[in-house]
Amino acid sequence: DGGITQSPKYLFRKEGQNVTLSCEQNLNHDAMYWYRQDPGQGLRLIYYSQIVNDFQKGDIAEGYSVSREKKESFPLTVTSAQKNPTAFYLCASSKDRVTYNEQFFGPGTRLTVL
Amino acid sequence: QQQVKQSPQSLIVQKGGISIINCAYENTAFDYFPWYQQFPGKGPALLIAIRPDVSEKKEGRFTISFNKSAKQFSLHIMDSQPGDSATYFCAATRASNTGKLIFGQGTTLQVKP
């Protein structure tokens, strides 16, 4: 089955710790994205990548880092510098430059900072 | 200029009724307007999208109406069903953009049986 997988589904972290969220896709999509979702708010873009070894900051990149070493993988690290990291994190992908805006989402990872 | 404002925040509709969700945008450069449906604990799924060269697009029970002069677009769900109960997000972007969607705040729809 083609799709986007995110792991883990739930993640708990102590304050001051870095944590990495996994995102893998087997859709052969060029572009991948990370969004953050908070209650009562829409999705906000953290980082995005259109090609391997290249990525750009979105609207709320502070306190986060990413890498794109493989086409199918786009892990997100939430660092201790992120002041309010508790949220639902969504990874998405889109096929190519013609269809960048047609984004397919993974099931999400709910991060809770204790 | 980058905001997309969505209303209402929540909506309760009887089974068989029409659900209407509205969005307004400011950036006149936006030319692609998708709607996403999200069930609890799941990622959003693309439902339907429209470009400003048409005023309406219909897919099954779902219709997008677009008013370019008012910079508004709306989602109509005809014959609403309990299975339609979900959170709906509108979004906007430039079709030539890098996939940077600007999302509305979301509307939680409950369809009562």
Side-chain angles (χ1 to χ4, degrees):
Chain A
D1 287 338
I4 302 173
T5 57
Q6 291 186 244
S7 61
K9 188 175 176 70
Y10 299 97
L11 189 55
F12 297 89
R13 186 195 97 178
K14 292 183 179 179
E15 278 192 36
Q17 290 181 336
N18 292 355
V19 63
T20 297
L21 282 59
S22 170
C23 178
E24 304 275 333
Q25 55 98 0
N26 61 3
L27 300 167
N28 198 30
H29 283 181
D30 290 341
M32 297 185 74
Y33 312 82
W34 274 105
Y35 290 90
R36 171 182 171 136
Q37 184 176 15
D38 296 283
Q41 298 192 38
L43 283 67
R44 292 181 291 169
L45 183 64
I46 304 172
Y47 269 98
Y48 64 102
S49 168
Q50 295 175 305
I51 56 173
V52 174
N53 292 323
D54 188 45
F55 48 83
Q56 284 76 42
K57 292 181 179 180
D59 299 320
I60 56 166
E62 185 176 349
Y64 300 98
S65 65
V66 293
S67 63
R68 187 88 186 275
E69 297 176 2
K70 299 185 297 182
K71 185 176 184 178
E72 59 270 22
S73 178
F74 191 41
L76 173 74
T77 296
V78 184
T79 75
S80 57
Q82 169 48 235
K83 291 184 171 56
N84 186 18
T86 294
F88 189 48
Y89 289 88
L90 289 157
C91 178
S93 70
S94 56
K95 188 174 188 300
D96 52 36
R97 64 189 308 121
V98 175
T99 58
Y100 274 150
N101 294 322
E102 296 177 18
Q103 296 180 16
F104 296 84
F105 284 83
T109 291
R110 189 166 296 281
L111 173 63
T112 302
V113 174
L114 304 173
Chain B
Q1 276 249 323
Q2 291 294 331
Q3 280 191 326
V4 175
K5 295 182 180 179
Q6 184 172 344
S7 64
Q9 186 174 357
S10 62
L11 182 62
I12 299 175
V13 172
Q14 290 295 129
K15 179 182 175 182
I18 303 173
S19 304
I20 302 174
I21 304 170
N22 301 300
C23 284
Y25 63 98
E26 299 170 346
N27 190 340
T28 54
F30 288 157
D31 55 4
Y32 179 78
F33 305 90
W35 284 89
Y36 282 82
Q37 179 189 56
Q38 184 181 31
F39 293 104
K42 306 292 184 184
L46 180 61
L47 192 60
I48 186 173
I50 195 169
R51 298 182 190 275
D53 52 343
V54 296
S55 60
E56 187 175 282
K57 183 174 181 180
K58 184 176 181 179
E59 289 186 3
R61 296 184 294 109
F62 299 90
T63 300
I64 300 179
S65 298
F66 185 80
N67 186 329
K68 189 173 182 178
S69 61
K71 292 186 286 184
Q72 295 176 347
F73 58 108
S74 60
L75 177 70
H76 293 63
I77 306 175
M78 313 301 287
D79 186 26
S80 298
Q81 299 296 312
D84 297 329
S85 298
T87 299
Y88 293 83
F89 292 95
C90 63
T93 189
R94 296 172 61 179
S96 58
N97 208 334
T98 53
K100 293 183 69 175
L101 296 172
I102 308 298
F103 283 86
Q105 296 84 351
T107 296
T108 300
L109 170 66
Q110 181 184 358
V111 181
K112 290 194 168 184

